[in-house]
Amino acid sequence: MERLAENIQYIKGVGPTRSRQLNRLGITNIFDILWHVPRGYINRDHTACINTLQPGETVSIRATILGTTSSRARRGMSILKALLQDRTGITTAVWFNQPFLKNTLKTGQEIFLTGKVAEKGGQAEINVAEYEMIGNEEETAKIAAVYPLTEGLNQKSMRRIVATVIDGYLREYPDILPGPLRDELSLCDIRSALRNIHCPQNRENYFSARQRLAFEELLLFQLNLVKNSLRTNEKGIPHAERDDLVSKVKGNLPYHLTGAQQKVIREIFADMESETSMTRLLQGDVGAGKTVVAALAAAKCVSSGHQAAIMAPTEILSRQHFCSMQKFFAGTNVAIASLTSGTHIKARNQILSALACGEVNIIVGTHSLIQDDIKFASLGLTVIDEQHRFGVRQRARLNQKGQSPDMLVMTATPIPRTLALTLYGDLEISIINELPPGRKPIPTKFIPHTGRKKVYDFVEKQVEQGAQVYIVCPLVEESQKQDLQAAVSLYDELSQIVFPQFSVGLLHGKMKAEEKQAEIEKFKRRKIDILITTTIIEVGIDVPNASLMIIEHAERFGLAQLHQLRGRVGRGQRQSYCILTGNPQSEEAFRRIKAMEKTNDGFLLAQEDLKIRGPGEFMGVRQHGLQQFKIADLTADLKLSEKAREIARTIEVPDNKILNKYLQLKFKNDLMQISG
C-alpha cells in the first residue's frame, strides 16, 4: 500500500518537468495515476469512410489533414476548421474555442477523430469531440484511452506513464471487497477494473470496470463517512426547560411559524430531550426561516441551563445572525455575544471570560469559535450555518468544546433527498419546504448585454418609486484575461455617468471588515440606492426594502448561487424582481438561465442543477470528497450508492492502517484519521 503513495516524479519516464505537468492535473502519486481515468476512447477498429457520413451520426474517422483555417464568431467564439481527406472523399472537422490547436494540426499529418456529423452548406462536417494525431509508430491497441491533459502533455506520453504504473504497481493495489461479496454483487476484482478502465479490449470490459470502480468510490466515500461520523451515539444532554423562554422567543417572531417550521422544531426538540446527542441536518430554501428554528433551539438549550454556539462562515452572515438573535431574544435576560476575527482584543478577552464562567448564554461567530482559547462553562448546542463551507474537522472542533452537545447543521442549498441521504447518511434530516407567509414569487428575466439601456431604465423607475437595488458582478477589478463586468469599474460608470442623481455604493471582499459593515449599514438605512457588489452578499444580508437584484454575467454563476443571490430580495412588502444579464455561450449556461426564469423553488432548481452539472460541481465543496469522484455519478448510480452505504456499515476491514492510507490517498486531506 505504501508504494501507491510514492511520488510520481520518480516513475520511469516522468522526472521533474513532467511531474510538474502531472501535478497541474492533481496527480502527485501512483494512486492518482491509477485513478486518472480516461474521459473517452478512440476505437480504431470502427472507423467510417468520409463518403458514408450522415448528419446526426457520431462517427470516428482516420484521415489526412489538407489544411486549416481559423475564424471568430460574432459572439466571440473561436472556430478552427481542418480540411480532411481519406481514400473515399473530403470533409471538414470543426473545433470550437480551441485556437491553440492550429499549431498542432499540421498539413500532411494523419489524425484519428470522433465527433458528431452535421450538415453545413449541403456538405457534411464533423464537430470534434475527441482527436489524436497519428505518429510514425503505429499503436497496436484497438481501443485507445483519451485522457484529460494539460499544456505540454500529450496523449501518447500519458498512455506510456499509465502503462508503466499498471505494469509496475497495480499488483500492490488492495481489494477491500471479499471474493464472496464481489460474487454476490456481480463485481470484478479491483485490479482487473483498473486495468480495463485504462485499456479495455471491448465494451463488456469497460462496463464491468466502470461498475466496480463506481462502487469502489461510493464505498470508500461511505467508509469515510461512517468512520468519521458526526453521529456519536454517546450519551448527551437531555434538555429540560426550566422557564418559559421558548414561548417568549416565539412571541418576538415577526410571523407565525409555518407548518414546516413547526414540524422540524418538533423533531429537533425531541432529539434535544433525548439522552443521545443530536446530529441533525436542517435543509431549507432561501428565506424559509431556518434562523428562526435555530433561535428556538438555542432558547430551549439556554432554558435548560446550558450555552449555545452559532457558527457561520463569513463575518457578514455572523453579524446578521447576531442581529437576528438580539431581536428574537429582546426583553429576556439572555446574554448574547458576537465573536469574529474583527473583534477587538479587549472586547474579545471580555467575551472569553464571560463565556468561560457562563455569563454569556449564546455566542455567535465565525471560525473564531473553534480557536483553542475558547472555553465554555456548559456548551449544550452547536448550530453550524451554511455547513457545507466547513470541513469535518472544523465541525468536530466546535463540538469538542462541550460534553457531547447537540448539533444542528443548516444549509440553504436545497439537496434532493436521495442525494442528501447518501451524502449525510450519518445525520438525521429535517426539511423546511414552505416559505413564511407574505413571501411573493420573484419574477426573473434574462436580458442580454445588448439590452442594457432597458435594464437601466427599469432601475431608474424602481429607485424613483423608493426601491433599492443590488447589482452583482463576478469580479472586483477589471481582468485582462476575462471580459467581465467588474464591480469597481461598474461603480465608477454608474455613479458618475448613468445614475449621478442616485446614491451608489460599492461592496466587495477586498474591503476591510469595518468598511464592509459601514457600507451595509448605509444600505440598510437607505442612504444608498444602488449597491454594486460581488457575491459577498450571497448570504447574511437582509434588507427588506431592496427589491431589485441584477446579476451581471449570470452565465458565470451556478444555479445554487444564482438562487441564493436572488433570495437577497423579496424580503419586504414590495414586489421584487431579478434580472440576469450576460452573454451565455454554452448550452449548460442557457439551461441554468432558463431554469431561473421558470421557477423560484430551490428544490426544483437543485434537481435541475444536479442534472446539468453532476453531484461534484452541484455540491461545490471539498470536504465531501465529491471532487474525487472520477467514475461514480450519484444520480445515475443511486442504487449502487445505496448498496455501498449499506455495506459500509457491515463490512470489516481487518487493518485500519490500510484503510487509513486508502482513504488518505482517495480523499487527500479531507478526513480525520481512523483510530486503531
Side-chain angles (χ1 to χ4, degrees):
M1 192 70 198
E2 292 296 332
R3 293 190 73 209
L4 297 180
E6 288 183 11
N7 192 316
I8 196 66
Q9 177 177 334
Y10 304 111
I11 304 306
K12 182 180 178 181
V14 179
T17 301
R18 188 72 79 205
S19 174
R20 286 192 292 271
Q21 294 167 347
L22 293 169
N23 290 168
R24 291 202 297 267
L25 294 168
I27 298 169
T28 61
N29 53 44
I30 301 299
F31 187 93
D32 294 337
I33 276 286
L34 290 172
W35 279 94
H36 188 65
V37 298
R39 58 179 171 83
Y41 302 88
I42 290 179
N43 190 336
R44 299 188 177 100
D45 261 10
H46 293 82
T47 55
C49 295
I50 287 176
N51 67 350
T52 65
L53 301 182
Q54 296 294 323
E57 291 182 324
T58 297
V59 298
S60 296
I61 68 168
R62 176 173 180 162
T64 301
I65 299 172
L66 299 181
T68 61
T69 60
S70 59
S71 61
R72 189 166 291 276
R74 280 181 295 177
R75 290 189 297 182
M77 182 185 296
S78 69
I79 301 172
L80 180 64
K81 293 187 177 184
L83 195 63
L84 306 178
Q85 182 180 43
D86 70 2
R87 60 184 175 79
T88 69
I90 294 175
T91 191
T92 302
V94 183
W95 288 262
F96 297 100
N97 283 333
Q98 299 180 67
F100 54 87
L101 290 182
K102 190 173 183 180
N103 297 324
T104 302
L105 307 176
K106 302 294 186 182
T107 300
Q109 283 189 314
E110 274 197 289
I111 187 172
F112 273 117
L113 60 81
T114 298
K116 191 169 185 178
V117 181
E119 186 173 351
K120 193 73 174 288
Q123 301 293 321
E125 67 177 28
I126 303 174
N127 294 326
V128 180
E130 309 287 356
Y131 79 96
E132 178 186 17
M133 307 309 299
I134 302 172
N136 294 328
E137 70 282 5
E138 185 65 55
E139 294 198 39
T140 57
K142 295 177 181 178
I143 301 175
V146 179
Y147 292 97
L149 299 176
T150 186
E151 185 179 354
L153 192 62
N154 59 36
Q155 293 294 346
K156 283 189 174 61
S157 297
M158 180 62 81
R159 288 183 196 136
R160 280 196 292 267
I161 294 168
V162 171
T164 298
V165 168
I166 287 175
D167 291 343
Y169 293 85
L170 187 57
R171 69 179 70 91
E172 307 285 335
Y173 203 102
D175 198 325
I176 60 174
L177 286 185
L181 185 54
R182 293 201 304 267
D183 294 341
E184 178 189 335
L185 300 174
S186 300
L187 296 172
C188 67
D189 67 90
I190 190 63
R191 295 170 193 169
S192 296
L194 285 166
R195 185 179 297 278
N196 284 317
I197 204 69
H198 291 287
C199 311
Q201 299 300 306
N202 50 49
R203 288 172 61 86
E204 290 72 25
N205 282 166
Y206 166 76
F207 284 114
S208 175
R210 192 228 172 258
Q211 187 83 345
R212 173 58 204 268
L213 293 180
F215 186 81
E216 186 85 357
E217 289 194 299
L218 293 165
L219 180 61
L220 286 174
F221 180 84
Q222 290 297 326
L223 284 170
N224 181 27
L225 194 64
V226 169
K227 299 297 183 181
N228 299 295
S229 176
L230 293 172
R231 180 182 296 166
T232 62
N233 290 323
E234 296 178 359
K235 186 172 182 179
I237 302 168
H239 289 89
E241 296 170 42
R242 302 173 181 176
D243 52 34
D244 60 350
L245 180 60
V246 172
S247 297
K248 289 180 179 178
V249 172
K250 284 183 179 179
N252 285 336
L253 299 181
Y255 56 81
H256 293 296
L257 295 170
T258 64
Q261 284 175 312
Q262 292 177 33
K263 178 177 180 293
V264 302
I265 288 167
R266 286 195 296 271
E267 293 170 347
I268 291 167
F269 279 16
D271 281 357
M272 293 180 71
E273 290 164 5
S274 76
E275 293 190 352
T276 302
S277 292
M278 173 178 73
T279 50
R280 185 169 286 274
L281 170 69
L282 176 60
Q283 281 199 78
D285 205 346
V286 178
K290 297 180 297 299
T291 307
V292 165
V293 172
L296 290 169
K300 185 174 183 68
C301 172
V302 173
S303 178
S304 304
H306 303 283
Q307 295 164 296
I310 301 173
M311 186 165 72
T314 67
E315 286 200 25
I316 289 177
L317 182 55
S318 173
R319 186 171 288 276
Q320 180 65 48
H321 282 329
F322 177 64
C323 293
S324 297
M325 293 299 152
Q326 286 181 314
K327 292 176 184 176
F328 297 152
F329 285 87
T332 71
N333 59 357
V334 174
I336 306 171
S338 171
L339 186 66
T340 69
S341 59
T343 304
H344 292 299
I345 294 177
K346 184 177 180 180
R348 184 178 188 277
N349 290 336
Q350 290 174 342
I351 292 170
L352 296 193
S353 177
L355 197 62
C357 67
E359 292 176 3
V360 168
N361 306 113
I362 299 174
I363 184 80
V364 184
T366 56
H367 300 75
S368 300
L369 296 183
I370 63 176
Q371 293 180 3
D372 292 339
D373 59 349
I374 306 294
K375 309 291 182 186
F376 290 84
S378 178
L379 180 60
L381 172 70
T382 62
V383 179
I384 300 169
D385 196 13
E386 294 298 318
Q387 64 86 31
H388 58 275
R389 300 194 184 191
F390 294 100
V392 173
R393 288 190 185 93
Q394 292 169 319
R395 295 196 295 260
R397 282 184 66 186
L398 181 59
N399 253 36
Q400 287 164 1
K401 293 185 178 295
Q403 295 297 317
S404 299
D406 289 333
M407 178 166 59
L408 179 67
V409 296
M410 308 194 299
T411 179
T413 301
I415 305 167
R417 188 170 183 85
T418 51
L419 180 58
L421 288 171
T422 299
L423 298 175
Y424 304 111
D426 58 331
L427 298 174
E428 299 298 329
I429 298 175
S430 293
I431 297 176
I432 305 177
N433 55 6
E434 182 182 357
L435 293 179
R439 293 297 294 265
K440 302 173 185 175
I442 302 168
T444 302
K445 184 175 179 59
F446 172 71
I447 297 178
H449 278 154
T450 52
R452 185 171 294 278
K453 184 180 184 304
K454 187 189 299 184
V455 175
Y456 288 164
D457 288 345
F458 189 65
V459 169
E460 184 174 14
K461 181 179 177 182
Q462 288 292 301
V463 175
E464 286 175 346
Q465 292 175 356
Q468 289 171 279
V469 182
Y470 294 106
I471 302 182
V472 177
C473 302
L475 293 178
V476 176
E477 296 170 340
E478 290 288 5
S479 167
Q480 293 179 348
K481 294 182 180 179
Q482 293 176 299
D483 182 23
L484 303 180
Q485 185 71 61
V488 174
S489 62
L490 185 61
Y491 168 76
D492 292 338
E493 178 187 350
L494 296 191
S495 61
Q496 297 172 25
I497 302 171
V498 182
F499 299 122
Q501 73 274 35
F502 300 138
S503 173
V504 181
L506 177 64
L507 178 69
H508 56 75
K510 290 187 177 183
M511 297 166 66
K512 294 179 181 178
E514 54 269 25
E515 293 174 335
K516 287 186 282 190
Q517 193 56 42
E519 203 74 356
I520 291 169
E521 289 301 323
K522 284 166 65 179
F523 193 58
K524 284 182 177 179
R525 297 198 306 269
R526 300 179 67 172
K527 301 293 184 182
I528 292 174
D529 301 309
I530 302 168
L531 184 63
I532 314 299
T533 182
T534 60
T535 55
I536 192 173
I537 63 149
E538 183 181 348
V539 292
I541 302 291
D542 188 0
V543 181
N545 192 57
S547 59
L548 175 58
M549 168 63 69
I550 298 172
I551 304 174
E552 295 276 352
H553 291 281
E555 70 274 12
R556 297 280 174 166
F557 299 93
L559 259 179
Q561 198 168 37
L562 289 172
H563 184 56
Q564 282 272 21
L565 290 168
R566 177 170 60 185
R568 296 309 100 201
V569 296
R571 293 168 173 261
Q573 297 301 312
R574 188 187 299 275
Q575 176 62 58
S576 293
Y577 305 90
C578 178
I579 296 176
L580 310 176
T581 74
N583 184 27
Q585 301 287 326
S586 67
E587 178 63 27
E588 180 182 317
F590 277 110
R591 285 179 66 184
R592 289 199 301 270
I593 287 168
K594 287 297 179 186
M596 284 289 292
E597 289 183 320
K598 187 176 180 180
T599 182
N600 276 227
D601 188 320
F603 285 91
L604 290 178
L605 287 172
Q607 292 280 11
E608 182 64 18
D609 206 10
L610 194 58
K611 291 177 190 174
I612 294 173
R613 299 192 294 159
E617 288 300 317
F618 169 78
M619 293 304 298
V621 290
R622 248 186 125 245
Q623 67 271 17
H624 287 297
L626 289 182
Q627 82 291 350
Q628 302 293 340
F629 280 2
K630 308 293 186 182
I631 294 282
D633 180 334
L634 288 181
T635 50
D637 297 319
L638 181 59
K639 289 185 178 179
L640 211 57
S641 178
E642 290 173 348
K643 192 66 178 176
R645 183 167 174 253
E646 174 189 328
I647 289 173
R649 282 152 179 75
T650 60
I651 191 173
E652 290 189 15
V653 181
D655 189 344
N656 270 352
K657 290 182 180 178
I658 290 179
L659 183 56
N660 268 329
K661 178 59 70 175
Y662 211 179
L663 293 175
Q664 275 184 337
L665 290 169
K666 185 63 183 166
F667 296 101
K668 303 296 185 186
N669 298 317
D670 295 338
L671 49 84
M672 297 182 294
Q673 286 292 291
I674 303 165
S675 60

